[in-house]
């Protein structure tokens, strides 16, 4: 009976006020109390709310990788709680997050990512009038410790460059280092996307958003040398070293750099580290944060700030200049 009342409330939520809704619940409870309903299908069958949510996020421009992560997270939550959408309460979500943290032994950052996805899902359900009120409203952001992530030093960058056996790998490293593009953006590049005269290229970022990034003279030389030695007709900017010279994929770049770092005894050699290094170096040298945000293709400036690590020696110099 309670489920029926909740379903009626949901369907009436866009037509009456909250006070009227409370009164409606009292009236329904009083009039339906003790009533036997033999038709179990009196209220609407459950829709696949998760698929509807994923469709809406797809329309908004989320990547396939993001959509897959959202769906796995929401499906797991719904399977664990094992209740109808309209019956899920705040305590159910708190218990799920607590159990997930204990069983997976993951970091607080991961748990907060799960919380954020669940919150987005239920907020969407509320906006679309599928539920009366999101049960995630009272579940706040999980406090996480701030980890200062490492960047490449100038010395490490030169060591990596000097020890590249393949000219392709040298071109990849220089392009990542000078543009700060994502590895997923790197492997999507075609030769036609590169403008050597202006030393710039168009990359396709998250949400299929295009943006212009810039590279230096060193990158220009190494890219031209690499392309001049290619013996294939593939339109891709970077291809495999062996026939049939297919477009290089993300894992291929990651494995190649990891092997190079292991050979040189340099820890944490990864494509994303070049991106963080660029952001840190740009902010450290005085580039406005809004311009760094544009270069990295971030929709929110808070994301850019998370990538950048302020050089401590410059903080000391500034303290002496302004406060010393």
């Amino acid at each position: 009976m309670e489920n029926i009342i909740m379903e009626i409330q949901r369907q009436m939520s866009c037509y009456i006020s909250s006070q009227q809704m409370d009164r409606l619940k009292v009236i329904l409870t009083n009039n339906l109390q003790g009533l036997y309903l033999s038709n179990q299908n009196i209220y609407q069958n459950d829709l696949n709310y998760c698929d509807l949510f994923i469709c809406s996020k797809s329309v908004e421009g989320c990547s396939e990788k993001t959509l897959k992560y959202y769906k796995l997270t929401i499906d797991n939550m719904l399977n664990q709680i094992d209740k109808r959408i309209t019956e899920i309460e705040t305590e159910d979500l708190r218990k799920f997050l607590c159990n997930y943290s204990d069983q997976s032994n993951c970091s607080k950052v991961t748990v907060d990512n799960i919380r954020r996805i669940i919150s987005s899902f239920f907020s969407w359900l509320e906006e679309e009038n599928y539920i009366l009120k999101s049960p995630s409203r009272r579940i706040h952001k999980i406090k996480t410790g701030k980890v200062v992530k490492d960047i490449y030093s100038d010395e490490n960058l030169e060591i990596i460059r000097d020890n590249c056996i393949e000219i392709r790998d040298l071109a990849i490293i220089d392009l990542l280092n000078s543009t700060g593009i994502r590895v997923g953006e790197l492997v999507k590049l075609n030769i036609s996307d590169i403008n050597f005269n202006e030393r710039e290229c168009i990359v396709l970022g998250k949400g299929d958003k295009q943006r212009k990034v810039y590279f230096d003279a060193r990158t220009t030389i190494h890219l031209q040398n690499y392309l001049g030695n290619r013996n294939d007709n593939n339109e891709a900017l970077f291809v495999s070293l062996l026939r049939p010279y297919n477009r290089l994929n993300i894992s291929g770049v990651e494995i190649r750099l990891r092997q190079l770092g292991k050979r040189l005894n340099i820890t944490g050699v990864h494509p994303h580290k070049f991106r963080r290094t660029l952001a840190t170096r740009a902010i450290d040298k005085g580039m406005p944060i809004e311009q760094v945000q544009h270069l990295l293709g971030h929709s929110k400036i808070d994301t850019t700030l998370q990538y950048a690590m302020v050089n401590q020696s410059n903080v000391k110099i500034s303290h002496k200049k302004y406060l010393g």
Side-chain angles (χ1 to χ4, degrees):
M1 188 66 64
E2 182 65 25
N3 291 335
I4 298 173
I5 293 174
M6 289 178 65
E7 183 62 26
I8 293 173
Q9 285 183 286
R10 183 190 70 77
Q11 295 185 29
M12 292 296 296
S13 61
C14 58
Y15 302 108
I16 61 178
S17 66
S18 58
Q19 290 181 337
Q20 292 171 326
M21 184 67 72
D22 293 338
R23 183 59 182 163
L24 176 62
K25 182 177 182 180
V26 172
I27 293 172
L28 289 171
T29 302
N30 291 339
N31 283 273
L32 296 178
Q33 190 172 14
L35 181 64
Y36 174 75
L37 299 173
S38 59
N39 184 6
Q40 296 300 316
N41 296 320
I42 193 167
Y43 47 78
Q44 180 181 345
N45 291 330
D46 268 337
L47 299 172
N48 195 327
Y49 296 105
C50 180
D51 285 349
L52 292 175
F53 173 71
I54 296 301
C55 284
S56 73
K57 287 298 177 183
S58 177
V59 171
E60 291 175 13
C62 290
S63 67
E64 287 297 322
K65 184 178 179 181
T66 299
L67 294 176
K68 185 177 180 180
Y69 183 46
Y70 278 11
K71 181 168 175 57
L72 286 173
T73 300
I74 295 168
D75 281 343
N76 182 43
M77 178 269 296
L78 294 175
N79 289 333
Q80 292 295 322
I81 294 178
D82 195 24
K83 283 185 177 181
R84 293 186 64 191
I85 289 289
T86 54
E87 299 173 359
I88 294 177
E89 300 175 347
T90 301
E91 289 307 315
D92 295 320
L93 298 180
R94 287 199 179 111
K95 185 176 179 181
F96 166 75
L97 290 172
C98 184
N99 290 339
Y100 185 91
S101 178
D102 292 341
Q103 294 172 7
S104 62
N105 196 29
C106 59
S107 67
K108 290 184 177 180
V109 173
T110 301
V111 178
D112 192 58
N113 285 336
I114 301 296
R115 177 206 61 81
R116 179 174 49 79
I117 293 170
I118 292 173
S119 178
S120 177
F121 173 59
F122 280 104
S123 295
W124 177 83
L125 288 172
E126 182 180 343
E127 289 172 2
E128 297 293 323
N129 292 320
Y130 289 122
I131 60 175
L132 291 175
K133 181 180 178 182
S134 169
S136 63
R137 280 190 185 183
R138 290 183 285 125
I139 301 179
H140 304 297
K141 185 181 186 328
I142 298 170
K143 293 182 179 180
T144 57
K146 187 175 181 180
V147 178
V148 178
K149 295 184 178 180
D150 196 15
I151 62 174
Y152 292 113
S153 66
D154 292 338
E155 293 79 7
N156 280 346
L157 283 172
E158 289 306 315
I159 291 172
I160 292 171
R161 285 193 184 100
D162 290 344
N163 287 274
C164 281
I165 298 173
E166 298 292 340
I167 191 171
R168 182 204 64 178
D169 297 345
L170 182 57
I172 288 174
I173 287 168
D174 278 331
L175 190 60
L176 287 171
N177 184 60
S178 60
T179 62
I181 59 177
R182 302 176 178 94
V183 63
E185 296 168 343
L186 177 91
V187 298
K188 290 179 184 177
L189 282 172
N190 293 327
I191 298 173
S192 59
D193 295 323
I194 307 298
N195 185 334
F196 286 108
N197 291 329
E198 299 296 330
R199 295 208 306 239
E200 63 187 32
C201 60
I202 303 292
V203 297
L204 188 64
K206 289 185 176 180
D208 291 334
K209 296 177 182 177
Q210 289 187 337
R211 74 180 188 281
K212 191 176 291 186
V213 296
Y214 311 92
F215 48 88
D216 54 23
R218 187 206 311 246
T219 304
T220 301
I221 294 171
H222 292 150
L223 272 174
Q224 288 176 333
N225 288 341
Y226 164 62
L227 293 175
N229 284 276
R230 286 261 297 267
N231 295 313
D232 61 87
N233 296 318
N234 197 322
E235 65 175 358
L237 180 61
F238 294 109
V239 297
S240 59
L241 296 174
L242 303 175
R243 293 181 185 277
Y245 304 116
N246 292 324
R247 181 185 292 271
L248 200 60
N249 55 34
I250 293 175
S251 61
V253 177
E254 291 175 340
I255 292 171
R256 194 73 176 180
L257 291 180
R258 187 163 57 245
Q259 290 173 342
L260 181 60
K262 187 175 181 180
R263 177 161 58 85
L264 299 175
N265 199 27
I266 298 176
T267 59
V269 178
H270 188 273
H272 203 76
K273 196 171 180 178
F274 291 101
R275 186 169 168 82
R276 190 162 57 244
T277 302
L278 176 93
T280 302
R281 189 169 66 239
I283 293 175
D284 200 35
K285 291 186 176 181
M287 179 181 279
I289 188 67
E290 294 83 4
Q291 294 181 16
V292 179
Q293 177 189 4
H294 178 75
L295 279 178
L296 297 180
H298 291 152
S299 57
K300 296 181 180 179
I301 203 165
D302 289 348
T303 309
T304 310
L305 290 171
Q306 292 175 6
Y307 277 69
M309 180 184 69
V310 178
N311 191 313
Q312 191 62 38
S313 62
N314 282 0
V315 174
K316 184 177 181 180
I317 293 171
S318 296
H319 182 276
K320 185 175 181 180
K321 178 180 178 181
Y322 296 107
L323 302 171

